[in-house]
Each structure stands twice: as C-alpha cells, then as structure tokens.
Amino acid sequence: MLEALPTARDHPLDPPTELRRLSAEEPLCRLLYPDGHVGWVVTSYELARCVLGDQRFSSRSELLRSAVHPTRIAEVERGESAPAGFFAIMDPPEHTKYRRLLTGHFTVRRMNALRPTIEQIVESRLQVLAETGPPADLVPSFALPVPSLAICALLGVPADERGVFERYGSLLNSLEVDAAEIKSGMTAMSDCLKGLIGQRRRRPSDDLLSALAREDDLSEDQTAGIAMLILVAGHDTTASMLALGTLVFLLHPEHAEALREGEASAERAVEEMLRYLTIVQYGLPRTAVEDVELAGELIRAGETVTVSLPAANRDSTRFPEPDQVDLSRTTPGHLGFGYGLHQCLGQHLARLEMQIAFSMLLRRFPTLELAVPLAEIPLRRQHMIYGVERLPVRW
Ligand code: HEM
C-alpha cells in the first residue's frame, strides 16, 4: 500500500516517477489518504477510463476524499454538499439538469463564433507586451489575462470587474488556504455575480449570464453558482496551460518553429500539450457507491479511487514514446479534460484559446526565449492545477 500519493517530480514537466512505475506494474493500488481512509489510486489509461466512465463511481462532494488534503475537496470541506449550481461535484440527475442547460452554449460552433473576440484579446495583450518589454513575465502579462478576458466575454462579466475572479479563482484550487478564506472568496464572487445577474434580468444582452438569468427554473444562488463554476474551472486551468505550453515551446525551439511556419497544426499541437502536461496534477477522486470489481480487485462501496490523469496520459501502452513531445501525434483520446459524464464542459473554448494564443505569440515574437534557466522557474506544487508562478522571457 502507498502511504501517500507520490507528488515529487524528478523533472518539472514529467509526472512523479513512482506513479509511472505503478502505471506499468500495479495500475490499481491501495492508497492511504491524508484523512486516514484506505482507498485506491489508478494510474493506467485503461483503468482510468473504466473508473471515469462508470456511474457506480460517484462525483458527489459528500462522498469524496482528496488524495492530497485532509479536509478539503475542491471548493468544499469534506462531507459538505456542493454549493448551489456547482454541478462538477454532483451526480445525475442533478448533474444532468445543469449539463443539459449549458451544453448548447459550449458547442464547437458557439466557440468558433468567439474566435474574433479571442484574437482581439490576444492581439491586445501582445501589443502591451511589445510596448513594455523585453523582458517580461508572461504569467501576469499574457497567460492570466487572456483566459480571464475570454470567459468574461463569454459570460458577459465586464472586463473591469474581473479582478475579483482572478484573485479568488486561483485561490480555490490552492492547497495552502484555509476554509475561511475559501468561503469569503466564494461569497465575494457570488455577490458580484448576483449583482450582474440582476442587471441582466432588467436589461438582457447577448451573453451567457443573460441566457442563465432567463431560466425560470434556476434560483439566483444556482445561477450565480453555475457562473462561478465556469469562471473558476476555466480561468486558472487555461492560464496554466498557456504558461506551461509556452515553456515547452521555448524548451523545444524546433516545435516553436514548426508551429510558427505552419508545418505543425495548432490543433494537434494543443492536443499534445494537453496530454503531455496534464495540469490536473493530483487527479480526479471518485467514490464507489456499490461494490465494484475492477482489475481483479474488489472496490467496496464507500471507498475512494483517485484517477491519476498525468500517469494515464503517459501510459506507454496507449501513447507510444509518451515522454516525447510529438506535435504530429495522432493517437486520440488523451484524458487532459477528463472522461465520461463530467468531461470538461469548456474544452472547445480552452482549445480555441490555446490554438490562437500559442500561434499568435510565437509569430509575433520569433526570437522569444527564456530569460532564466529552467531550474530557476518557480513551479506550483501546493496547488491542484500544476503550473509556473512566473515565466520570465525576452526577445
Ligand atoms: C486547458 C484548460 C482546461 C483543463 C485542463 C480542464 C480540465 C477539466 C477536467 C479534467 C475536468 C473533469 C473534472 C471531473 O471529471 O471531475 C473538467 C471539468 C469542467 N471544466 Fe474544464 N478544463 C479546462 C478549461 C475549462 C474552461 C475554459 C471551462 C469553461 C469556460 C471549463 C469548465 C469546466 C466545467 C464547468 C467542468 C465540470 C463539468 C461537469 O462536471 O460536467 N474548463 N475540466
């Protein structure tokens, strides 16, 4: 049995070596959770899909345990029910109700209609960079504002009110904050959103908040909760991918060149970055609601299984040469956005933002390079979402 989830990385861009060993030798392994529970961890691609695709494994917040924190599960304390509208930690039928309401707003077509807006957002950030640098820290100047402005545009949150979401959004995924800070962050965001929802009820516009405000079946708390979940789930994640993905391009100038020259497709490059980097670094918890037999073991009702997405996405039985960044890789089905009922709602938006941002950044600054050695770039360890704290560059 593992005494704790392995979290130490030998290389900043590779998952912990111990998880890789397990994936090959013992892909379903007993794990002692920080709260004393004896549950499981899954590290192979095949078993990860089995668990995430099986509704006998629940996402209900009341049943979940974290593999890296003794009391916190995502935005809630262990055992607490999900805040109104936070359908990511609910099961059907509640989850289905919310998901149905939102799916139509996140289709590829809807997201493609946002392309000009996202291009304009990226262009304006590049312009600021060109005027103020070199050098520059790409995290605050590019990676954080681009997704923040994009989700605000989608929802209809005025750009000058985004500060509160940027400040608290990342906090909710941190392992270092206490319950009181989480609660006050959630309240601040919810209050701000309720004010905006009230405005949209009086004066509707062509944005997602207005569409949600029109739903008679939703309470104000539920509407604000949905909007908050979208902001929280979509900002920090995409920001981390933008910074880490840029780091990969700077460490591999040949890939940057291929994308810049159009020899590599931006679509494929983004899929490979999502697989290679798998930023949901401590995986996804699920709890069995009945006894389940899996890979010859009996998982008892009430036991939590943590699915290690980073290990599954480096499983060599699915992805040949998994540690290589291969922009022409064609193996589909990486688990960077999860799998099954809860697979990322905002994945088409995230893809579009990354495709546009990487291509425009590398073309605008063809000589872009790291301003410090890799070893000096501070990494995010005490956080559910992997990333870099700073990305100093020059050109
Ligand atoms: C590269 C960026 C992103 C990554 C890596 C990512 C990753 C994920 C993962 C792994 C899940 C599954 C969670 C689970 O099964 O428990 C998820 C769910 C979710 N994501 Fe994303 N995400 C990203 C961007 C976004 C964006 C841009 C939005 C919205 C604008 C978004 C909204 C959501 C929502 C609402 C859920 C919950 C879906 C459900 O429970 O049905 N995400 N995301």
Side-chain angles (χ1 to χ4, degrees), residues 306-367:
T306 291
V307 177
S308 173
L309 300 181
N313 272 343
R314 297 286 187 108
D315 183 338
S316 60
T317 62
R318 171 75 190 186
F319 302 103
E321 306 272 358
D323 300 331
Q324 299 300 316
V325 181
D326 175 359
L327 298 193
S328 60
R329 195 183 288 278
T330 50
T331 327
H334 68 73
L335 304 179
F337 287 125
Y339 180 74
L341 284 185
H342 291 272
Q343 197 184 45
C344 182
L345 173 74
Q347 56 186 285
H348 303 312
L349 176 60
R351 287 191 168 105
L352 191 64
E353 287 179 49
M354 288 186 276
Q355 290 162 12
I356 294 172
F358 290 138
S359 306
M360 287 179 67
L361 174 72
L362 295 172
R363 287 192 184 127
R364 178 70 165 259
F365 301 111
T367 58

Side-chain angles (χ1 to χ4, degrees), residues 10-263:
D10 290 333
H11 183 278
L13 299 179
D14 288 333
T17 310
E18 176 64 2
L19 286 180
R20 311 289 309 285
R21 187 192 64 74
L22 286 171
S23 178
E25 293 171 14
E26 200 184 347
L28 175 63
C29 178
R30 295 236 72 152
L31 169 68
L32 178 62
Y33 281 63
D35 67 352
H37 172 69
V38 178
W40 304 85
V41 59
V42 155
T43 45
S44 71
Y45 181 84
E46 191 195 336
L47 292 183
R49 295 229 314 188
C50 283
V51 173
L52 296 176
D54 185 335
Q55 290 190 43
R56 292 174 297 173
F57 291 103
S58 166
S59 281
R60 261 182 70 198
S61 63
E62 294 94 324
L63 304 178
L64 299 180
R65 296 174 188 86
S66 161
V68 285
H69 197 284
T71 58
R72 275 256 320 281
I73 310 296
E75 297 80 10
V76 296
E77 288 294 288
R78 192 160 72 78
E80 271 182 5
S81 48
F86 263 66
F87 59 91
I89 40 179
M90 295 178 188
D91 283 346
E94 291 82 9
H95 173 264
T96 325
K97 177 185 103 177
Y98 289 108
R99 192 79 197 207
R100 278 215 190 109
L101 205 71
L102 288 161
T103 307
H105 295 281
F106 285 88
T107 56
V108 177
R109 227 180 88 227
R110 281 285 181 101
M111 293 306 115
N112 275 333
L114 274 181
R115 178 180 282 277
T117 309
I118 297 173
E119 283 173 350
Q120 205 184 343
I121 290 169
V122 172
E123 175 56 33
S124 72
R125 299 316 303 180
L126 293 176
Q127 191 56 34
V128 174
L129 268 176
E131 283 162 13
T132 53
D137 176 356
L138 278 189
V139 172
S141 60
F142 188 73
L144 284 171
V146 166
S148 171
L149 290 162
I151 306 180
C152 287
L154 170 79
L155 275 169
V157 171
D160 55 4
E161 295 204 30
R162 67 185 220 271
V164 63
F165 304 105
E166 290 184 0
R167 195 159 51 252
Y168 294 117
S170 164
L171 194 97
L172 299 192
N173 286 317
S174 164
L175 296 172
E176 289 175 317
V177 293
D178 60 27
E181 280 176 274
I182 300 275
K183 288 264 178 303
S184 66
M186 301 266 284
T187 307
M189 288 195 278
S190 177
D191 288 349
C192 179
L193 284 164
K194 284 179 185 168
L196 292 169
I197 292 161
Q199 285 174 20
R200 294 304 191 285
R201 287 221 168 94
R202 292 188 295 277
R203 266 177 286 114
S205 142
D206 182 25
D207 54 40
L208 185 50
L209 271 186
S210 301
L212 292 174
R214 272 197 297 274
E215 292 290 338
D216 293 334
D217 286 353
L218 294 177
S219 69
E220 191 186 40
D221 278 340
Q222 288 172 326
T223 312
I226 296 172
M228 197 180 346
L229 172 64
I230 290 171
L231 281 156
V232 169
H235 178 226
D236 208 32
T237 43
T238 316
S240 278
M241 275 302 300
L242 288 180
L244 274 179
T246 303
L247 173 62
V248 173
F249 279 117
L250 299 184
L251 295 172
H252 294 274
E254 72 285 8
H255 293 328
E257 186 64 13
L259 189 66
R260 200 180 288 124
E261 297 303 319
E263 290 151 13

Side-chain angles (χ1 to χ4, degrees), residues 371-390:
V372 298
L374 177 61
E376 284 174 30
I377 296 178
L379 305 164
R380 253 191 185 185
R381 301 207 188 271
Q382 291 303 313
H383 207 282
M384 302 298 285
I385 306 297
Y386 191 53
V388 292
E389 303 287 358
R390 290 193 301 279

